[in-house]
């Protein structure tokens, strides 16, 4: 089994082949992602909501993230595992950034980390990369800034907003990141940024012209009882299917 490398991800852009990535949070789902030959699996801080049941990504801790990162690494097979850095595990200082990114690699077994932010985080990204840890950036809608953004909204709709996201994406590339997530930005802006950068862009709610796409596992599988976000690419009705299976199991046992 040849493990997917950072260079393999960078090469997707060169080959102009769109690539799929997805989140995972446990051993079993990581095994399915690995079996589907999906090259990159993100242990997203969306674990905060889908695993731990918090309202936003803000409360999840380093310990809670490490717990799920380790499980995914055991199951992911050849896929490159990227560990998301939780809120305030990296923004506070360069020292915290490298210390906590290092924990994701050394204790968690991940192959790279992801963090949110552009121009303001350029030094932090560079510092982590300088210690030999690959970084995936994340610009546009950055859920850890939920309060500052007044909720989850499409970003970069104005000329000023679009310029800020372009500057952020360029800063991420300049700092040495190997790829960047573009979340909830207009399709035309995502296309423009993808053309400007040499590293792959990975879109979610950013149209089809990014170099790759990322989705939340629970959205693709339809695991939530509430409707998925507009940008979700749902391929299964997991919640309903599992509910029916459990009801059938219960009924069968009660007949014994
Ligand atoms: O935490 C997460 O799931 C993410 C993706 C939506 C990119 O950051």
């Amino acid at each position: 089994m040849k493990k997917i490398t950072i260079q393999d991800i960078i090469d997707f852009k060169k080959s102009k082949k769109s690539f799929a990535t997805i989140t995972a949070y446990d051993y079993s789902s990581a095994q399915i992602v690995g079996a589907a030959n999906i090259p990159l699996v993100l242990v997203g801080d969306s674990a905060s909501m889908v695993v731990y049941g918090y309202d936003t990504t803000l409360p999840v801790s380093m310990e809670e993230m490490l717990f799920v990162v380790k499980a995914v690494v055991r199951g992911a097979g050849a896929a490159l595992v990227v560990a998301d850095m939780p809120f305030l595990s990296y923004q506070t200082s360069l020292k915290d950034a490298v210390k906590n990114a290092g924990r994701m690699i050394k204790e968690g077994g991940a192959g790279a980390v992801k963090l949110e932010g552009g121009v303001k985080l350029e030094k932090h990204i560079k510092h982590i990369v300088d210690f030999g840890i690959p970084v995936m950036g994340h610009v546009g809608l950055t859920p850890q800034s939920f309060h500052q953004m007044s909720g989850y909204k499409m970003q970069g709709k104005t000329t000023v907003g679009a310029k800020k996201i372009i500057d952020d994406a360029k800063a991420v590339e300049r700092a040495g990141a190997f790829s960047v997530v573009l979340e909830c930005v207009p399709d035309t802006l995502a296309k423009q940024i993808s053309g400007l950068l040499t590293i792959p862009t990975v879109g979610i709610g950013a149209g089809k012209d990014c170099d790759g796409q990322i989705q939340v596992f629970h959205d693709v599988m339809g695991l939530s009882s509430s409707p998925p976000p507009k940008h979700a690419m749902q391929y299964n009705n997991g919640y309903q299917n599992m509910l029916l299976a459990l009801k059938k199991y219960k009924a069968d046992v009660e007949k014994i």
Side-chain angles (χ1 to χ4, degrees), residues 17-232:
K17 261 173 52 188
S18 177
F19 61 102
T21 73
I22 194 161
T23 65
Y25 316 93
D26 64 26
Y27 175 74
S28 307
S29 56
Q31 273 193 316
I32 304 172
V33 171
N37 286 328
I38 291 183
L40 183 152
V41 53
L42 170 70
V43 188
D45 63 351
S46 44
S48 187
M49 286 99 91
V50 301
V51 175
Y52 294 107
Y54 299 122
D55 280 348
T56 66
T57 57
L58 302 180
V60 76
S61 66
M62 268 300 292
E63 305 310 321
E64 286 167 324
M65 284 303 295
L66 275 166
F67 189 77
V68 286
V69 168
K70 287 179 192 174
V72 169
V73 166
R74 286 182 211 117
L80 175 71
V81 178
V82 181
D84 221 353
M85 302 283 293
F87 181 54
L88 295 191
S89 68
Y90 58 98
Q91 298 96 329
T92 40
S93 69
L94 298 185
K95 195 173 162 196
D96 286 351
V98 80
K99 186 173 134 251
N100 287 318
R103 289 192 71 193
M104 292 298 195
I105 306 294
K106 198 170 167 170
E107 292 173 45
V113 297
K114 176 172 87 57
L115 57 86
E116 296 181 7
V119 173
K120 285 185 193 151
L121 270 298
E122 185 173 345
K123 279 197 191 129
H124 298 65
I125 297 173
K126 184 167 184 318
H127 200 60
I128 298 171
V129 172
D130 284 348
F131 275 81
I133 300 171
V135 176
M136 181 179 216
H138 184 158
V139 303
L141 194 168
T142 46
Q144 291 177 10
S145 305
F146 171 78
H147 293 301
Q148 197 171 37
M149 290 179 163
S150 300
Y152 302 120
K153 291 181 188 151
M154 173 78 86
Q155 301 295 309
K157 288 206 286 194
T158 62
T159 314
V160 174
K163 180 171 179 317
K164 182 188 174 301
I165 295 170
I166 293 172
D167 290 346
D168 280 340
K170 283 184 177 168
V172 166
E173 172 166 276
R174 217 168 30 239
F178 72 94
S179 64
V180 60
V181 170
L182 302 180
E183 179 163 356
C184 290
V185 302
D187 300 11
T188 48
L189 178 60
K191 184 174 182 182
Q192 188 187 356
I193 294 173
S194 303
L196 286 170
L197 300 189
T198 56
I199 56 171
T201 58
V202 181
I204 175 161
K208 62 175 179 45
D209 291 311
C210 294
D211 300 301
Q213 300 288 329
I214 186 150
Q215 287 282 311
V216 169
F217 187 87
H218 290 53
D219 293 342
V220 171
M221 296 300 174
L223 292 182
S224 172
S225 57
S226 45
K230 259 196 258 160
H231 54 66

